[in-house]
Amino acid sequence: MGNTLNVNLTVCPFCSVGCSFYVVKNDGSYEIIPARGSPVNEGKLCIKGWHALDFVLSKDRLLKPLIRRGNSFIEASWNEALDIVANKLREIRDKYGPDSIGFISSAKATNEDNYIFQKFARVIFGTNNVDHCARLCHSSTVEGLIRAFGTGAMTFSISDIDNADLIFIVGSNTTEHHPIIGSKIINAVKKGANLIVIDPKLTKIASLATIHLQNLPGTDIPILNAIANILIKENYVDWEFINHRTEGFDEFRKIIEKYTPEYASKISEVPEKQIIEAAELYGKSKRTIFFYAMGVTQHIQGTETVEAIANLAMLKGNVGRESTGVGPLRGQNNVQGASDMGALSDFLPGYVRVWDSNAKERIEKIWNAKIPEKPGLTVTEMFEAALEGRLKAMYIIGENPVVSDPHPELVRKALENLEFLVVQDLFLTETAKYADVILPAKSFAEKKGTFTSTERRIQKVHPVVNIEGPLEDWKIITLLARRLGYDWNYEDSDDILREINLVVPQYAGATPERLEEHPFGLQWPVTRDGKETKILHKDRFTRGLGKFHAVEWNGYVETRDSQYPFVLTTGGIYYHWCSGVMTIRSHILYREAPEAYVEINVEDAKLLNIKNGQYVKVKTKYGEVKVKAMISEDIKRGVLFIPFHYSNVPVNELIGYHKDPISRIPEYKVVAARIEVI
Amino acid sequence: MMQVYTNEMLPKTVRILKICDETPDTKTFILENITKRIPKPGQFYMISVFGVGEFPVSFGSANENNLLITVKKVGQGTGALFELGENDIVGLRGPYGNGFPIEEFTGKNIVLIGGGIGIPPLRSVMEYISQHRNEFGYVQLLYGARSPKDIVYKDKLLKDWPKIIDVKLTVDVPDETWKGHVGVVTTLFDQIKNLDSIFLIVGPEIMMRYSVLELKKRGVKESQIYLSLERKMKCGIGICGHCNLGRFYVCKDGPVFRYDIIANERELFYG
Amino acid sequence: MMKVYKISKDKLKAYLSYLLNKGYSIYGPVKTTSGDVIFSKIEDPEHFVDEKSTNGPKSVVFPEREIIFRYREGKIIEEKSDERRILFGTRTCEIEGFRMLDDVLLKGKYKDISYERKRSNSIIVNFACTKACKYGFCTTFQGPKLKNGFSLQFIDIGDDYLVEAMNEELIVPEYFTEASEEDIKKAEENINNVYKEMEQLPIKDIEKKIKFNDEIWNKLGNYCINCGACNYSCPTCFCFDVYDVKIGNEILRIREWDSCLLEGFSRLAGFNNPRKDNASRLIQRFYHKLVYHKLNYGYYLCTGCGRCIEQCPVNIDIRDVIKYFSGGEL
Ligand SMILES: Cc1cc2nc3c(=O)[nH]c(=O)nc-3n(C[C@H](O)[C@H](O)[C@H](O)COP(=O)(O)OP(=O)(O)OC[C@H]3O[C@@H](n4cnc5c(N)ncnc54)[C@H](O)[C@@H]3O)c2cc1C
Ligand code: SF4
Ligand code: SF4
Ligand code: SF4
Ligand code: FES
């Protein structure tokens, strides 16, 4: 008998694993059904996935545009609201110039939304001031991997995990942040694969590791370099690969000589013996997969740490072969796609540098517009510029920087400083409260479009829930473009995808029709004739030769002292997502983790006489928060951990002003702190 | 005859008639008893604060018109109840659970042992005993609170009940005013008069654990001991699965259990 | 009395159309172009397939989330649904689950009225399996064919289905003909095939063999990622949570599926919890299925549908647990 269409197939809106599920409606109630056919989740979901509709159906959804009147908002029609936005943005551009407006795109929006938004900024406003949260989580990945391999994305496929004999994880709490990938690693370990984990916390995945290197936050480079050093000394390396497929080896080799196990151990507090054992385990492995996440990227040396991982992989030829490779675990479900679409201040769609006039020409032709050479402001720089009065207006889609960006108090001031702020969101977020106009957007569940997962898998979603009022992000932008005198006539997200097929070479063959035929997606690059790519850099690196980078550990920018004797690190937890806006609206997810806490080692707690559940103050040079103490055996002594999801415990006020000079990612993971009993 | 079922998940709306403070974090609420049903000692109700949620509460005292409950503020639901005032509306379902099989204790000596907010169910037993005082033998009540200011039902414990039974109090942390016994409730056990009594224990799980241990040391049989247990409860009627303790549902098979029946349950006396 | 008919496979679609035209809401397994089979509302008979679905029909009678009542201006307004529907193409392991839910939710001192309404409004047209499915082990329990609890039961006998009818409500002479002895024999044979293909587990007395104090619990607990799938997917799991949602001046009391593998399921005030770790939560789940329910109701709370196995991200497998405690290896 016949088939129904995939009308009710969609992709999880939380992490970047890209799990698919169906939604059916019975008698008023929705049910989520994991897709068995998906090669990614194979009929499974994590708890967030099972609750992915809770926020969609939340009673707090914005349904009508809101316009500021003094200190409150009044409801408005779409026409009214869009007129105001178009007029005001035009006015500001005409008065202060193109670069007076900043556009923040969203890694939760579809590729089509992101593509249209950056085009909106670049073509209609003539500015590269368009960026999104990848800046805050994985811009160092994009930089690091482009420099090493030529492509800023996971080199292999999730299914490669099954046959790897070693999985090497750096700074990723995989079972909590990318649970379905985490589960695949667990299953591989059950079948006999080895597992090395570098993490300051004894996470679940670390507890299953063959070797857990429990280091101080921010000391991955010395360990990685020391392992590389041992590999070369013990001749565990793949000379053939190094000689034929890479460059920069000699310089690299020279630099790492000083990274002896003793030296690395002194910095990282990981026992020397464990570093040697890890090197041996890796040395003997035939097929190793590396994973890393925000524990690596959100760091002042984020790009260089990514490069150090790439070095280690190349040493043994662990790139471009089955069940090997380097896998950045991206944050948001579409952070890969938003980056691919050029929602970045220095990249056009398809990772064309804004200053690369040759490569740019092709796109300029299609767009019939000139694009400025000058890189735009990054997310954090936009707020700085707004504070200084250089930026006059902002247009923020689906992001909540007041909670998720560093230094919320500055972000707030920056927003107040603007002449005009548009926020396009599902909810009246902390950020939206500062807006002049709030535009209600459709969630993933109400729209058609594509998302690109961490394994470069472009998947199509379908509207599975109907909510009257909000519009698709791309639709809103198109309506604005028309008001600004551009005859953008996209009628459907497929129209935009067809343009993406032209503009972004990696997406050339990922046409709307093909993605309907491949309901679980195609992995980019997809050639014009529809061939996808499971593994990158097979016979040749995208950049030609793989490049070794001689990376050094630069020491701590924040050193612990008697005043601030702890290293504070921040991160996410299993039940919540980002600034919590989506997950606190799920009864079950909220119930599981209703409160923020600071995790502290038992011994440290004993010394300071801190009891479980007691309120304490955590202070850094930059700020302080009041939070409940959670005493744990799983965290390293001298380290504190606070989850960043809770707006009532704004940990981002605690972090410093340091940034990775290359990717301009802020340092979220290492700040000297102290803890006080109250 | 066909039984007519009503939707037991629908609460009745009742008014709060009166509120009094018991301790800094405990209040007594007198509610309308609109069903006029008189619950059995040890039974409980599900109380709703509409918009916040529903939670189980034992009753302390009841008559045709009033239900008395005493609640400690520990979280969202109880916190929201504390915000309400006299004449405000709450939701009420119940009474649920088995309660103490008090009729079976006729002619016996009884020892009531309570800790902290575990006292309301014992108060409901005391109400029964005071109305049927001569049906029981020697009755003792041993009650422990954290500190003198945490003692719930002071009037009853200090004035009313000592007139008809033997009441012994203790606190963990005394203050200047306290002249009585200091120590956890088990330190009162040497003053138990009859080890052949029926023992009714209500309080935190840890306190019940040590009480049972001490009683057993003294030769008390497991079948002489009754406990009233607390578990998370979402329905109160045996269908939501939250209050599972081994094969039992605390809401419908309990909350009162004769100790020997649950003695081997793995999750008893957790912590 | 049960009567036996048969229907030609060619006529199945027409029969479904007929039922749709009579105004029934029909829910059943449909296949998507992506190849997955999901149990959902059938709008077009073409979409129906005679296959086991990923989710099964539980949510039709016991939705993932449902409103118990609305509270407005001091008044409680009950939510009622009285959609009359046919569940067409259920599997035995699913409907046997209904029977177990009935015992808990309808046969105690108090009834779950929301469930009862949906349940009693659902007409069951079961399809007994004639092939073993990948993860199922129904032959350890009731087997692939229902003895009762259905309106019609279809059994594949080649070009036709044998149809057992508990009542005549859905029997239409146009589509159904008399079944012969031979047809009945063929059906029996086909059902027996499942018994041959499927491994029967050593379930006997498992409630006496299973132990709390065993390393297996910690081991499995270390793997479990608390996704809740083993509960959400199970046709016999009934636990739910209750909470309030405020919209303007209206308050909704909602009940939603819960999972005993989650920490908050049993957490009390002050973060006290009788089940602090994954090991004790797994013990609860397996003991409920294999011990407690058996003690209370005389049978195991499992129909062998295999969904918890299929949907567990870390392959925690109830079959392994049963075998392990019957002396096998893990
Ligand atoms: C049979 C029985 C009788 C009780 N009698 C009394 C009484 O007479 N007086 C009194 O003050 N308290 C009594 N309790 C305890 C009371 O039900 C809890 O303190 C209350 O549910 C906490 O609700 P909350 O909304 O304030 O807490 P929440 O905000 O829900 O949360 C605080 C914590 O309590 C937990 N919790 C949620 N629901 C329950 C629940 N139903 N039972 C226990 N913990 C829960 C939550 O998981 C959370 O960890 C009784 C409990 C039971 C089971
Ligand atoms: S693993 Fe990620 S994509 Fe998959 S269900 Fe969980 S949150 Fe969603
Ligand atoms: S326990 Fe597993 S196999 Fe048994 S009925 Fe539930 S989901 Fe099916
Ligand atoms: S399905 Fe597996 S991982 Fe998920 S909660 Fe159940 S046992 Fe744990
Ligand atoms: S409270 Fe629901 S089963 Fe006991």
Side-chain angles (χ1 to χ4, degrees):
Chain A
M1 284 180 204
N3 287 337
T4 71
L5 289 173
N6 289 308
V7 285
N8 47 10
L9 181 64
T10 187
V11 174
C12 178
F14 292 112
C15 84
S16 59
V17 174
C19 301
S20 293
F21 54 81
Y22 302 90
V23 175
V24 298
K25 191 174 176 188
N26 309 324
D27 201 4
S29 159
Y30 290 95
E31 184 185 11
I32 286 181
I33 306 162
R36 265 194 267 197
S38 161
V40 179
N41 54 310
E42 301 176 295
K44 299 149 215 285
L45 289 174
C46 81
I47 189 78
K48 288 190 286 289
W50 282 104
H51 289 276
L53 284 185
D54 296 5
F55 74 91
V56 172
L57 301 170
S58 157
K59 305 306 168 198
D60 312 339
R61 283 289 298 277
L62 294 171
L63 301 176
K64 285 210 171 115
L66 298 175
I67 300 175
R68 173 171 298 282
R69 281 283 177 280
N71 284 328
S72 56
F73 292 101
I74 56 161
E75 289 188 351
S77 70
W78 274 105
N79 274 335
E80 259 175 285
L82 292 174
D83 285 346
I84 295 178
V85 174
N87 291 337
K88 202 70 194 158
L89 289 178
R90 181 180 9 220
E91 195 183 303
I92 289 177
R93 179 195 57 190
D94 293 349
K95 191 160 160 203
Y96 302 105
D99 289 337
S100 63
I101 308 179
F103 297 84
I104 298 187
S105 195
S106 172
K108 283 197 270 288
T110 60
N111 290 327
E112 291 75 5
D113 296 329
N114 274 286
Y115 175 82
I116 282 299
F117 194 51
Q118 61 82 36
K119 183 173 170 187
F120 184 67
R122 291 185 161 120
V123 171
I124 299 184
F125 287 90
T127 179
N128 281 318
N129 286 348
V130 55
D131 212 35
H132 75 284
C133 72
R135 181 69 57 199
L136 305 178
C137 53
H138 269 278
S139 51
S140 44
T141 282
V142 174
E143 283 295 343
L145 292 185
I146 286 189
R147 283 155 182 252
F149 304 149
T151 301
M154 183 152 137
T155 69
F156 56 95
S157 302
I158 293 170
S159 58
D160 279 309
I161 297 169
D162 294 351
N163 292 317
D165 65 17
L166 170 66
I167 294 137
F168 196 136
I169 300 176
V170 192
S172 150
N173 189 347
T174 327
T175 55
E176 299 210 4
H177 301 160
H178 301 88
I180 291 300
I181 290 188
S183 72
K184 296 200 174 198
I185 297 173
I186 292 178
N187 293 335
V189 168
K190 282 213 259 181
K191 280 195 318 202
N194 284 315
L195 175 63
I196 297 175
V197 176
I198 308 186
D199 200 306
K201 285 215 297 181
L202 178 61
T203 58
K204 178 181 208 66
I205 201 78
S207 76
L208 294 166
T210 326
I211 302 175
H212 173 205
L213 309 169
Q214 195 166 14
N215 64 337
L216 283 174
T219 62
D220 303 316
I221 290 182
I223 299 176
L224 296 167
N225 277 357
I227 292 175
N229 192 5
I230 300 169
L231 288 187
I232 297 170
K233 285 228 167 74
E234 304 289 325
N235 201 19
Y236 278 131
V237 297
D238 181 343
W239 290 115
E240 164 97 13
F241 188 88
I242 294 172
N243 291 336
H244 292 101
R245 297 214 34 203
T246 69
E247 60 185 349
F249 178 74
D250 293 335
E251 207 186 321
F252 162 69
R253 179 179 198 163
K254 226 179 287 149
I255 282 266
I256 61 164
E257 253 164 27
K258 76 161 181 271
Y259 289 88
T260 60
E262 302 97 274
Y263 180 59
S265 164
K266 226 170 82 202
I267 299 169
S268 64
E269 294 189 358
V270 173
E272 224 180 294
K273 194 168 144 264
Q274 278 192 4
I275 298 176
I276 298 169
E277 279 168 8
E280 272 172 10
L281 206 56
Y282 178 43
K284 290 184 180 139
S285 151
K286 296 203 168 57
R287 292 175 309 277
T288 300
I289 278 177
F290 289 85
F291 281 115
Y292 67 86
M294 272 155 24
V296 160
T297 55
Q298 287 188 330
H299 180 41
I300 180 137
Q301 282 193 275
T303 306
E304 286 165 312
T305 315
V306 172
E307 287 164 355
I309 294 170
N311 289 340
L312 212 49
M314 286 188 292
L315 269 186
K316 286 185 47 65
N318 274 318
V319 190
R321 278 191 294 130
E322 246 146 68
S323 296
T324 71
V326 177
L329 294 169
R330 313 296 300 255
Q332 301 275 16
N333 68 331
N334 200 34
V335 73
Q336 182 69 52
S339 305
D340 298 344
M341 293 306 115
L344 289 171
S345 60
D346 41 0
F347 286 107
L348 295 176
Y351 300 97
V352 171
R353 299 277 186 185
V354 290
W355 56 82
D356 181 346
S357 36
N358 288 338
K360 211 164 70 171
E361 222 183 87
R362 196 177 53 82
I363 300 178
E364 287 179 328
K365 256 200 205 123
I366 301 174
W367 287 354
N368 193 18
K370 270 263 164 257
I371 299 152
E373 304 254 310
K374 195 176 106 204
L377 300 171
T378 65
V379 171
T380 31
E381 287 164 353
M382 283 185 210
F383 293 114
E384 288 161 14
L387 265 180
E388 292 163 18
R390 284 182 284 132
L391 204 70
K392 303 292 183 190
M394 282 181 89
Y395 193 141
I396 302 178
I397 297 187
E399 303 243 326
N400 191 11
V402 168
V403 179
S404 53
D405 288 25
H407 309 296
E409 76 291 355
L410 295 185
V411 174
R412 263 184 241 126
K413 273 202 198 114
L415 295 177
E416 277 168 7
N417 226 6
L418 292 170
E419 278 182 30
F420 189 60
L421 172 64
V422 187
V423 171
Q424 193 160 304
D425 208 302
L426 274 51
F427 300 104
L428 189 63
T429 59
E430 286 80 353
T431 303
K433 288 179 188 149
Y434 290 84
D436 296 289
V437 179
I438 306 176
L439 302 174
K442 287 197 168 183
S443 78
F444 81 102
E446 297 135 60
K447 62 186 175 189
K448 195 160 93 171
T450 57
F451 288 120
T452 306
S453 76
T454 201
E455 60 164 350
R456 300 168 276 107
R457 183 178 295 280
I458 309 163
Q459 305 191 90
K460 195 156 183 184
V461 296
H462 305 80
V464 293
V465 169
N466 182 29
I467 289 171
E468 287 300 327
L471 293 179
E472 291 93 343
D473 293 305
W474 67 261
K475 181 103 192 182
I476 300 172
I477 301 301
T478 306
L479 293 173
L480 283 172
R482 287 187 203 155
R483 279 175 169 70
L484 290 162
Y486 287 75
D487 61 341
W488 287 9
N489 49 8
Y490 309 105
E491 287 303 328
D492 185 288
S493 71
D494 284 351
D495 295 343
I496 304 170
L497 182 54
R498 283 189 196 101
E499 183 171 320
I500 295 171
N501 297 150
L502 291 178
V503 172
V504 183
Q506 293 89 333
Y507 285 62
T511 60
E513 295 70 29
R514 248 186 219 122
L515 289 175
E516 233 21 280
E517 276 162 35
H518 294 87
F520 302 113
L522 293 167
Q523 286 173 274
W524 70 245
V526 186
T527 57
R528 213 164 289 286
D529 57 2
K531 270 226 292 296
E532 62 172 339
T533 313
K534 299 241 161 251
I535 296 174
L536 295 177
H537 318 299
K538 253 191 168 147
D539 305 310
R540 182 180 170 279
F541 281 98
T542 314
R543 72 182 290 282
L545 293 174
K547 184 162 168 56
F548 280 98
H549 285 86
V551 294
E552 286 253 42
W553 189 66
N554 294 341
Y556 271 119
V557 266
E558 287 266 341
T559 26
R560 294 183 292 171
D561 53 27
S562 53
Q563 274 252 359
Y564 297 103
F566 287 93
V567 182
L568 168 69
T569 175
T570 66
I573 55 175
Y574 183 44
Y575 297 98
H576 286 294
W577 192 248
C578 271
S579 67
V581 169
M582 294 150 90
T583 44
I584 58 163
R585 290 184 167 83
S586 159
H587 168 73
I588 293 284
L589 297 177
Y590 176 74
R591 178 193 77 184
E592 287 307 301
E595 263 186 293
Y597 56 83
V598 54
E599 191 174 350
I600 178 171
N601 181 278
V602 218
E603 300 297 320
D604 289 334
K606 236 185 244 159
L607 280 178
L608 293 169
N609 206 6
I610 291 171
K611 281 179 215 71
N612 207 14
Q614 166 183 10
Y615 274 100
V616 293
K617 252 187 204 153
V618 177
K619 285 191 176 166
T620 68
K621 276 181 232 159
Y622 315 96
E624 64 175 60
V625 295
K626 196 180 131 188
V627 62
K628 262 190 183 169
M630 184 179 105
I631 297 176
S632 131
E633 292 180 8
D634 301 341
I635 193 158
K636 191 172 168 55
R637 285 201 65 177
V639 179
L640 303 174
F641 170 83
I642 306 182
F644 52 47
H645 310 290
Y646 301 88
S647 55
N648 61 342
V649 179
V651 283
N652 290 336
E653 293 191 357
L654 300 181
I655 64 180
Y657 297 92
H658 313 293
K659 274 183 221 157
D660 175 7
I662 308 170
S663 63
R664 295 180 283 171
I665 200 166
E667 170 72 82
Y668 280 91
K669 295 292 171 189
V670 184
V671 56
R674 72 161 175 270
I675 188 164
E676 286 174 7
V677 179
I678 34 179
Chain B
M1 198 191 82
M2 251 220 2
Q3 201 168 348
V4 181
Y5 286 93
T6 48
N7 190 339
E8 207 41 56
M9 293 299 283
L10 302 185
K12 302 245 168 2
T13 51
V14 304
R15 263 181 326 131
I16 302 175
L17 300 174
K18 196 165 175 333
I19 306 178
C20 6
D21 290 336
E22 291 287 345
T23 76
D25 59 6
T26 309
K27 284 186 190 183
T28 288
F29 299 80
I30 297 179
L31 312 176
E32 280 179 288
N33 186 4
I34 54 169
T35 60
K36 311 256 176 241
R37 280 176 65 184
I38 309 286
K40 272 178 72 181
Q43 283 193 301
F44 68 93
Y45 289 84
M46 296 298 287
I47 306 282
S48 294
V49 180
F50 292 108
V52 181
E54 198 177 36
F55 51 89
V57 178
S58 307
F59 81 100
S61 158
N63 62 34
E64 284 224 330
N65 300 316
N66 299 334
L67 279 175
L68 178 146
I69 58 167
T70 302
V71 176
K72 182 173 165 173
K73 183 174 162 178
V74 297
Q76 278 181 23
T78 49
L81 182 63
F82 270 49
E83 299 290 309
L84 297 183
E86 289 170 6
N87 275 323
D88 282 342
I89 300 283
V90 293
L92 187 74
R93 305 193 277 128
Y96 297 131
N98 54 1
F100 292 99
I102 191 105
E103 307 82 10
E104 294 173 19
F105 307 154
T106 314
K108 302 214 165 112
N109 300 321
I110 296 186
V111 180
L112 307 161
I113 303 172
I117 186 64
I119 188 98
L122 296 182
R123 175 165 176 174
S124 66
V125 174
M126 277 307 301
E127 299 250 313
Y128 185 91
I129 291 178
S130 32
Q131 284 157 21
H132 308 80
R133 181 63 191 92
N134 44 23
E135 289 173 22
F136 299 93
Y138 193 78
V139 180
Q140 279 184 304
L141 191 157
L142 317 179
Y143 176 71
R146 204 170 0 137
S147 75
K149 66 176 191 336
D150 293 314
I151 296 177
V152 180
Y153 301 149
K154 279 202 190 76
D155 273 7
K156 295 279 166 198
L157 286 165
L158 298 172
K159 284 201 219 119
D160 298 356
W161 295 340
K163 291 179 193 150
I164 49 168
I165 62 158
D166 177 21
V167 177
K168 300 235 165 357
L169 302 184
T170 180
V171 299
D172 299 351
V173 191
D175 62 12
E176 323 70 62
T177 65
W178 185 251
K179 306 210 170 52
H181 192 93
V182 175
V184 293
V185 78
T186 45
T187 59
L188 294 172
F189 281 18
D190 286 341
Q191 304 183 45
I192 294 173
K193 190 118 178 271
N194 306 298
L195 290 171
D196 66 354
S197 302
I198 296 291
F199 293 85
L200 312 182
I201 317 180
V202 192
E205 205 109 335
I206 180 100
M207 165 264 187
M208 295 201 276
R209 167 200 238 157
Y210 283 104
S211 298
V212 167
L213 211 77
E214 284 298 319
L215 292 176
K216 283 174 68 178
K217 258 193 218 155
R218 289 168 163 77
V220 173
K221 287 201 297 279
E222 292 186 344
S223 57
Q224 282 169 257
I225 303 173
Y226 289 80
L227 310 177
S228 176
L229 298 185
E230 182 181 339
R231 284 293 180 278
K232 185 148 174 171
M233 291 185 184
K234 284 295 168 184
C235 71
I237 56 175
I239 60 176
C240 79
H242 276 89
C243 65
N244 223 189
L245 172 73
R247 62 178 290 195
F248 302 107
Y249 288 99
V250 174
C251 67
K252 74 174 170 66
D253 304 321
V256 176
F257 290 95
R258 204 173 71 202
Y259 176 65
D260 57 330
I261 292 173
I262 49 168
N264 292 324
E265 290 304 338
R266 180 177 168 274
E267 289 174 356
L268 184 65
F269 302 150
Y270 64 92
Chain C
M1 248 325 278
M2 197 176 78
K3 282 203 178 154
V4 190
Y5 299 91
K6 72 178 177 179
I7 184 171
S8 154
K9 283 186 177 170
D10 298 339
K11 285 194 177 159
L12 197 60
K13 271 186 270 175
Y15 177 54
L16 264 169
S17 298
Y18 163 84
L19 293 175
L20 279 168
N21 287 337
K22 287 212 69 178
Y24 287 107
S25 274
I26 301 185
Y27 292 84
V30 296
K31 193 171 212 145
T32 65
T33 37
S34 37
D36 284 335
V37 180
I38 60 183
F39 203 90
S40 75
K41 200 159 187 159
I42 299 181
E43 313 277 0
D44 177 346
E46 285 295 331
H47 296 160
F48 171 83
V49 281
D50 171 11
E51 280 178 48
K52 180 182 170 197
S53 61
T54 305
N55 50 328
K58 182 171 84 167
S59 71
V60 183
V61 292
F62 190 9
E64 198 166 314
R65 187 187 284 103
E66 91 189 294
I67 299 172
I68 305 175
F69 64 79
R70 291 165 193 274
Y71 176 82
R72 202 186 306 136
E73 286 152 11
K75 290 218 167 46
I76 287 171
I77 307 145
E78 195 179 357
E79 277 290 301
K80 291 183 187 169
S81 136
D82 40 23
E83 188 195 44
R84 183 112 176 118
R85 62 302 274 299
I86 302 177
L87 310 189
F88 195 98
T90 60
R91 307 282 126 179
T92 299
C93 55
E94 298 159 358
I95 300 309
E96 191 67 1
F98 282 14
R99 189 177 65 73
M100 298 178 182
L101 295 181
D102 293 349
D103 280 349
V104 177
L105 300 177
L106 302 180
K107 306 227 170 114
K109 182 169 169 202
Y110 299 106
K111 271 190 185 185
D112 182 333
I113 299 289
S114 328
Y115 171 74
E116 185 185 43
R117 275 196 202 105
K118 298 198 163 75
R119 173 74 165 106
S120 61
N121 269 325
S122 302
I123 303 166
I124 309 292
V125 178
N126 193 56
F127 277 52
C129 296
T130 50
K131 270 197 222 67
C133 64
K134 190 163 169 201
Y135 296 97
F137 54 105
C138 62
T139 55
T140 298
F141 301 114
Q142 75 287 336
K145 184 170 156 272
L146 284 175
K147 289 185 190 64
N148 46 42
F150 55 85
S151 216
L152 302 181
Q153 177 159 253
F154 284 49
I155 304 163
D156 192 328
I157 48 171
D159 294 335
D160 304 293
Y161 286 106
L162 186 83
V163 180
E164 299 179 345
M166 290 300 258
N167 56 54
E168 302 295 300
E169 189 180 350
L170 299 179
I171 293 297
V172 195
E174 211 180 319
Y175 303 104
F176 296 91
T177 53
E178 288 289 312
S180 65
E181 278 303 312
E182 207 172 312
D183 295 331
I184 295 173
K185 238 181 83 207
K186 179 78 185 136
E188 248 164 56
E189 265 167 37
N190 285 354
I191 294 289
N192 272 332
N193 270 341
V194 178
Y195 280 90
K196 278 181 221 144
E197 287 168 24
M198 220 177 238
E199 181 188 5
Q200 246 135 305
L201 301 179
I203 192 75
K204 196 165 173 314
D205 289 337
I206 189 73
E207 65 276 22
K208 299 187 188 118
K209 298 178 198 156
I210 193 167
K211 286 200 306 275
F212 292 131
N213 292 323
D214 194 290
E215 56 176 89
I216 186 181
W217 304 117
N218 275 325
K219 191 167 167 182
L220 299 180
N222 283 341
Y223 300 140
C224 168
I225 62 162
N226 314 92
C227 71
C230 50
N231 300 120
Y232 295 154
S233 67
C234 177
T236 75
C237 275
F238 53 83
C239 290
F240 60 86
D241 203 1
V242 178
Y243 59 95
D244 287 7
V245 171
K246 243 190 195 141
I247 326 171
N249 55 4
E250 188 172 72
I251 284 153
L252 308 185
R253 176 149 301 159
I254 292 178
R255 71 132 151 221
E256 181 175 330
W257 292 354
D258 209 340
S259 161
C260 60
L261 269 302
L262 300 177
E263 192 268 341
F265 182 86
S266 50
R267 188 202 307 141
L268 296 166
F271 283 80
N272 280 323
N273 198 336
R275 287 178 214 136
K276 277 196 171 29
D277 52 16
N278 273 354
S280 51
R281 295 191 274 271
L282 284 162
I283 288 176
Q284 166 64 21
R285 172 166 171 255
F286 284 107
Y287 266 69
H288 188 201
K289 304 246 165 263
L290 301 176
V291 184
Y292 305 148
H293 196 83
K294 167 92 185 199
L295 293 175
N296 289 336
Y297 294 90
Y299 58 88
Y300 301 107
L301 189 63
C302 174
T303 66
C305 78
R307 285 190 170 83
C308 58
I309 308 167
E310 176 171 6
Q311 295 185 30
C312 176
V314 295
N315 303 332
I316 290 175
D317 189 331
I318 187 171
R319 294 171 303 187
D320 293 346
V321 173
I322 293 169
K323 285 192 244 175
Y324 175 77
F325 282 108
S326 304
E329 302 253 310
L330 192 64

